């Protein structure tokens, strides 16, 4: 069994700019909100996820470095640089239920990919009855393609924040089996819900 621990490597580390910078004020780690950066504003953000196994030796570190820019007051673009490093021992889990006693030592591997991202805010969560935005992220590496789409609904209140994401993830991976290409695809839909209650109301900016 694998366990995952999310570590914040860098949170909202702003790039040096001649003008004032302003981040999105994101409250949730996983669930997205409809807010976007104002036009011309930039943000640099990084994070890492560490996974490990208890029954068999397994360690994995996933890292992402994201650069965001507000293209308009409603449209935001971003680019992720992704890296994944894995070390594991031969086991029943890693070999599909078959124990290979001829293998010793550990198996290591690394993968790198890039992910352009786009988010467009249609309704403002602070002023409209409900905030609404659309999101698309593409991930590329040799032999792999992923498209992640989100419909983002959220609402900002003085002491409560709500967010709901309807997510579709499509993956296509190419593998060589006995010299021939084989394609494996996945197409999944999920719902992500985030809620935050603040015991002290947010102060108004002046």
């Amino acid at each position: 069994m694998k366990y995952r621990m999310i570590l914040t490597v860098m949170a909202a580390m702003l790039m040096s700019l001649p003008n004032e910078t302003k981040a999105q004020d994101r409250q949730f780690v996983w669930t997205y909100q409809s807010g976007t950066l104002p036009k011309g504003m930039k943000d640099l953000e990084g994070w890492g996820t560490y996974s490990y196994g208890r029954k068999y030796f397994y360690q994995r570190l996933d890292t992402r470095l994201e650069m965001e820019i507000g293209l308009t007051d409603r449209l935001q673009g971003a680019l992720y640089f992704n890296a994944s490093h894995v070390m594991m021992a031969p086991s029943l889990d890693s070999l599909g239920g078959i124990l290979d006693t001829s293998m010793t030592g550990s198996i290591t591997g690394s993968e790198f990919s890039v992910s352009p991202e786009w988010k467009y805010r249609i309704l403002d969560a602070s002023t409209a009855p409900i905030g609404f935005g659309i999101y698309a992220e593409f991930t590329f590496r040799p032999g792999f393609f992923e498209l992640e789409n989100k419909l983002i609904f959220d609402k900002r209140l003085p002491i409560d924040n709500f967010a709901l994401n309807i997510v579709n993830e499509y993956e296509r991976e190419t593998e060589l089996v006995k010299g021939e290409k084989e394609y494996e695809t996945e197409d999944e839909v999920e719902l992500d819900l985030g809620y935050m209650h603040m015991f002290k109301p947010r102060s108004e900016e002046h």
Side-chain angles (χ1 to χ4, degrees):
M1 181 181 296
K2 304 182 185 68
Y3 294 82
R4 180 170 296 174
M5 179 171 57
I6 299 177
L7 305 174
T8 301
V9 181
M10 295 178 294
M13 186 179 74
L14 302 180
M15 300 174 66
S16 298
L17 298 169
N19 57 339
E20 181 186 1
T21 58
K22 181 179 180 182
Q24 295 180 65
D25 191 25
R26 183 185 299 167
Q27 279 84 33
F28 306 111
V29 174
W30 189 257
T31 307
Y32 278 60
Q33 296 166 275
S34 61
T36 57
L37 290 174
K39 182 179 179 180
M41 297 299 177
K42 298 178 182 179
D43 189 25
L44 177 64
E45 197 172 311
W47 56 267
T49 303
Y50 175 69
S51 306
Y52 63 96
R54 288 186 174 177
K55 188 174 182 180
Y56 299 104
F57 176 74
Y58 178 91
Q59 291 184 342
R60 175 171 177 156
L61 178 62
D62 295 298
T63 60
R64 302 190 84 181
L65 180 65
E66 177 189 19
M67 295 183 293
E68 299 177 336
I69 183 171
L71 300 173
T72 72
D73 287 338
R74 291 177 175 267
L75 177 63
Q76 174 182 299
L79 183 64
Y80 290 89
F81 296 93
N82 314 304
S84 177
H85 310 282
V86 179
M87 177 180 287
M88 62 182 179
S91 66
L92 293 173
D93 289 346
S94 63
L95 298 174
I98 302 173
L99 181 61
D100 188 349
T101 57
S102 66
M103 298 183 66
T104 58
S106 60
I107 302 170
T108 60
S110 297
E111 292 180 341
F112 302 91
S113 62
V114 294
S115 304
E117 170 194 281
W118 304 93
K119 182 164 68 166
Y120 185 74
R121 174 171 52 85
I122 298 173
L123 297 175
D124 192 309
S126 299
T127 57
I130 189 169
F132 177 57
I134 55 177
Y135 169 99
E137 179 184 331
F138 306 84
T139 299
F140 304 93
R141 68 171 184 263
F144 178 85
F145 169 76
E146 181 185 46
L147 171 60
E148 181 178 353
N149 297 306
K150 298 178 189 282
L151 295 177
I152 303 171
F153 303 90
D154 64 336
K155 182 60 183 175
R156 294 170 61 93
L157 299 171
I159 60 173
D160 293 290
N161 286 338
F162 304 86
L164 172 66
N165 296 171
I166 302 175
V167 185
N168 173 245
E169 294 184 8
Y170 173 81
E171 294 182 5
R172 180 182 176 93
E173 188 166 7
T174 305
E175 295 182 348
L176 282 177
V177 179
K178 296 181 180 180
E180 295 185 1
K181 289 184 178 181
E182 291 190 0
Y183 300 97
E184 181 177 345
T185 61
E186 293 185 11
D187 195 354
E188 299 179 351
V189 176
E190 68 178 36
L191 297 177
D192 298 327
L193 178 64
Y195 168 72
M196 173 180 288
H197 175 80
M198 290 169 284
F199 293 96
K200 181 179 179 180
R202 76 167 52 85
S203 59
E204 296 295 333
E205 296 183 359
H206 298 284

